[in-house]
Amino acid sequence: MSRQLGLSILMFLALPAQLLAFELRFASSAGSSELNAELLAASLVAPLADKADASPQDVLAAAQADYGRLIGTLYEEGYFAPTINIGVNGREAAGISPLASPGAIQTVAITINPGARFQFGETAIAPIARGTELPADFSRGAVAKTGTIRDAVEAGIEGWRAAGHAKADIAEQRLIARHPTRELDANIQLQPGPRLTFGNLVVRGNTSVRTGRIRDIAGLPSGRQFDPEEVRKATTRLRRTGAFKVAALSEAEKIGAGNTLNINAQIVEEKPRRFGFGAEISSTDGLGLSGFWLHRNLFGGAERLRLEGEIEGIGGQTGGADFKIGARFSRPATFNEDTDFFALTELESLDEESFSADRFKVEAGIRRYASDQREYTFGLGLQHARTEDAFGVRDYTIFTLPASAEFDYRDDPLNAKAGYYVFASVTPFVAIEGTESGVRTYLDGRVYKTVGAAENLTFALRGQLGSVSGPTLATAPADFLFYSGGGGTVRGQNYQSLGVDLGGGQEIGGRSFLGLSGEVRVKTGDKLSLVGFVDAGYVGAQAFPNGSDGDWHSGAGFGIRYDTGIGPIRVDLAVPVSGPGENSGFEVYIGIGQAF
């Protein structure tokens, strides 16, 4: 018998003896502290040691249940010949009748000898569907863990389900432990069952959203071969509308006529109306107030209507107050299950340091969900504005054709550690009066990489590119031009402090913009992280940055992040490093989520 480790762990020694329900002794000959920790975590009797009100009946029941729990934990790690003794007041717990439990329990002693670790001998699972990939560890010579067997069975069943056999299951399994050779043979027989096609979507629980619309939104392909991925997509589409608190899809228990399978949709609707408001204050930007009212099911088909308004810059130092009111209507699954229709209107007044604008726009279009990570929008719009800048007062009216693409392959949008994100927009505009026709483009790309064994060091890079081509600087819509400075571009520099210098103290936005940002994020604890960053921005007079007709500026600083359930709370302190113009010396930025 292998030498037992002197673990004999006396649980909760720091507690006064009178507060302990009993003394717990734990001894194990396993050479792994991780395995011993797993065994203690699996035990039901261990946490009762610090509960003074634990009854002897509860302690005995937990001790008797621990045999199976501890054996299961050892099987998970490949130990198929363990010896487990659980003594209650010196008697084996398994031999104590529940009807004759001790009146008081002073000690519980758990002694474990895991025995030898087994390896896989013969491994087989059949039949399997074409293209099924079994776990690499399910092979001769690998550690024989029951979790590996489960993974192999799950892979085999999911392979058949992906091929249309929704009711695939285990037909027979034979597990043979060969103690002389310390090998475990695993032979699994699967029963694929018939190939099925989707039947109907059976909707239950809805009260206000029409059943027909729920089926349209889900887009379940009735009559086509069953595919679990289609069920997942249908669930995502329903949840994406925001109209449902619960949208759970499950397969019917029984196969229908003609080898069809109905899908059940259990629906719990959200309250149709919602409103909210917010406020923020900055030493330079002043006070900002915002509010919205939302209806999630306007006509009974999960249509959304959102009315919103905001006022920014009250008492600020970056121009006057800005106002905006708007309304947006959207209808899911309008042309197909992955295409939404939207229509919006906005009335906005901007009073910035370098320009002012009063504008009104209407727009309608579609949003296409190509996948969970890719979205596209296309629209038609009409915009009228009156602007005032260094070139004077102008009225313009344009017809717009906005389009955008968004690729989001980040592991976490609010606190990314790996992956990338790309947003690109192209807005051709046709002049009706007051300007010239042209195109406004914008690109935002971000990439993230985490390194180190502890994964506590993350590098984040961001690049932005903007351009207005067609009209000259003097005839371009003033609110289409680019500025740099502030939290979204160059931290440490004043908001929109860099534009194109026309001389004589006059400045206007540029036709081109280039922004570069880099961050190093170091996780220093479970919740806290430190961040160092550098930002740079360029604004030029020509349609594309060329370095000769514009200026650069930059800023740098450090920040602190505190992780919460909805993303990290961000506090950044930044100072200007280079560039023209006056600045405040330092800027503080506070928000939720990473800066990018």
Side-chain angles (χ1 to χ4, degrees), residues 89-263:
N89 289 347
R91 297 174 57 193
E92 192 68 33
I96 301 176
S97 171
L99 300 178
S101 61
I105 295 177
Q106 289 79 38
T107 62
V108 174
I110 301 176
T111 305
I112 299 174
N113 177 11
R117 203 173 200 184
F118 280 56
Q119 296 179 333
F120 280 120
E122 177 187 347
T123 58
I125 180 168
I128 59 174
R130 180 178 299 177
T132 300
E133 294 186 8
L134 298 177
D137 291 342
F138 188 65
S139 59
R140 181 180 291 275
V143 175
K145 298 182 179 182
T146 53
T148 303
I149 300 174
R150 285 197 302 271
D151 291 343
V153 171
E154 182 179 354
I157 290 176
E158 288 304 313
W160 281 115
R161 284 171 53 80
H165 299 261
K167 297 301 182 181
D169 205 346
I170 298 175
E172 181 183 0
Q173 58 180 346
R174 287 181 294 158
L175 303 178
I176 302 174
R178 304 186 185 277
H179 292 268
T181 59
R182 298 175 183 173
E183 289 183 330
L184 181 73
D185 294 341
N187 191 310
I188 313 295
Q189 293 293 315
L190 300 180
Q191 175 57 52
R195 181 179 280 114
L196 305 179
T197 57
F198 281 115
N200 297 320
L201 183 66
V202 181
V203 181
R204 298 185 178 92
N206 57 311
T207 57
S208 299
V209 183
R210 299 188 302 274
T211 298
R213 281 294 293 152
I214 292 176
R215 288 175 175 154
D216 290 342
I217 294 168
L220 195 73
S222 298
R224 285 170 46 187
Q225 179 177 299
F226 172 85
D227 185 348
E229 178 64 14
E230 290 294 342
V231 179
R232 187 198 65 79
K233 288 181 179 179
T235 304
T236 298
R237 294 173 188 131
L238 291 170
R239 294 174 178 172
R240 191 167 59 206
T241 65
F244 309 112
K245 185 180 297 183
V246 175
L249 270 61
S250 61
E251 301 159 19
E253 291 291 331
K254 296 182 178 180
I255 298 174
N259 284 339
T260 60
L261 185 67
N262 289 342
I263 303 297

Side-chain angles (χ1 to χ4, degrees), residues 469-590:
S469 60
T472 64
L473 197 63
T475 59
D479 50 334
F480 273 32
L481 300 176
F482 297 95
Y483 293 85
S484 182
T489 53
V490 179
R491 289 164 286 184
Q493 298 285 351
N494 287 348
Y495 175 69
Q496 291 192 354
S497 58
L498 180 64
V500 174
D501 188 359
L502 300 178
Q506 293 184 317
E507 191 173 81
I508 193 172
R511 294 172 63 205
S512 60
F513 164 69
L514 179 62
L516 301 171
S517 297
E519 287 193 350
V520 178
R521 305 168 184 170
V522 182
K523 193 172 181 63
T524 58
D526 291 339
K527 298 291 185 180
L528 287 176
S529 299
L530 299 178
V531 176
F533 58 85
V534 176
D535 299 334
Y538 169 89
V539 176
Q542 300 302 314
F544 295 97
N546 57 29
S548 62
D549 61 349
D551 287 310
W552 284 90
H553 68 170
S554 61
F558 67 92
I560 298 175
R561 308 288 186 265
Y562 181 82
D563 289 342
T564 68
I566 58 174
I569 297 175
R570 178 181 77 253
V571 179
D572 286 339
L573 175 64
V575 296
V577 174
S578 65
E582 297 181 358
N583 52 67
S584 62
F586 71 91
E587 299 283 348
V588 178
Y589 306 90
I590 302 174

Side-chain angles (χ1 to χ4, degrees), residues 248-469:
L249 270 61
S250 61
E251 301 159 19
E253 291 291 331
K254 296 182 178 180
I255 298 174
N259 284 339
T260 60
L261 185 67
N262 289 342
I263 303 297
N264 298 319
Q266 185 61 48
I267 299 297
V268 178
E269 297 175 357
E270 287 277 11
K271 293 181 179 180
R273 297 171 184 83
R274 179 187 175 193
F275 68 91
F277 60 89
E280 58 182 26
I281 189 168
S282 166
S283 58
T284 56
D285 298 336
L287 176 66
L289 302 173
S290 63
F292 73 90
W293 178 88
L294 172 68
H295 199 300
R296 295 186 174 98
N297 186 33
L298 191 63
F299 302 125
E303 304 89 353
R304 294 167 66 90
L305 176 63
R306 181 184 175 101
L307 307 179
E308 59 185 354
E310 62 181 46
I311 306 174
E312 295 181 341
I314 302 174
Q317 304 172 20
T318 56
D322 301 333
F323 305 87
K324 183 172 75 171
I325 58 173
R328 181 184 179 98
F329 171 83
S330 60
R331 182 179 187 271
T334 297
F335 301 102
N336 58 50
E337 61 272 13
D338 287 317
T339 304
D340 296 354
F341 168 80
F342 69 86
L344 62 87
T345 180
E346 286 182 1
L347 180 63
E348 187 173 21
S349 177
L350 301 175
D351 188 0
E352 307 294 348
E353 286 191 280
S354 299
F355 76 97
S356 63
D358 296 319
R359 62 187 181 189
F360 171 77
K361 78 172 182 178
V362 292
E363 186 179 307
I366 60 172
R367 178 181 295 273
R368 170 70 177 174
Y369 298 95
S371 72
D372 292 343
Q373 295 82 25
R374 293 182 288 119
E375 296 180 13
Y376 304 94
T377 64
F378 305 92
L380 301 173
L382 183 68
Q383 181 168 315
H384 174 77
R386 165 167 289 188
T387 64
E388 182 176 1
D389 56 20
F391 293 110
V393 178
R394 287 177 294 154
D395 291 320
Y396 75 82
T397 304
I398 56 176
F399 176 71
T400 62
L401 294 90
S404 68
E406 184 176 32
F407 295 179
D408 193 347
Y409 287 86
R410 295 172 291 184
D411 58 340
D412 182 348
L414 289 178
N415 190 17
K417 294 184 178 180
Y420 66 92
Y421 171 87
V422 177
F423 175 81
S425 67
V426 179
T427 305
F429 55 93
V430 178
I432 298 176
E433 64 174 351
T435 185
E436 301 174 14
S437 300
V439 179
R440 189 184 195 271
T441 58
Y442 174 73
L443 176 66
D444 182 356
R446 313 171 191 182
V447 63
Y448 309 87
K449 178 68 174 179
T450 298
V451 299
E455 295 188 344
N456 59 359
L457 180 62
T458 300
F459 296 94
L461 298 174
R462 181 185 190 185
Q464 300 178 76
L465 179 65
S467 172
V468 176
S469 60

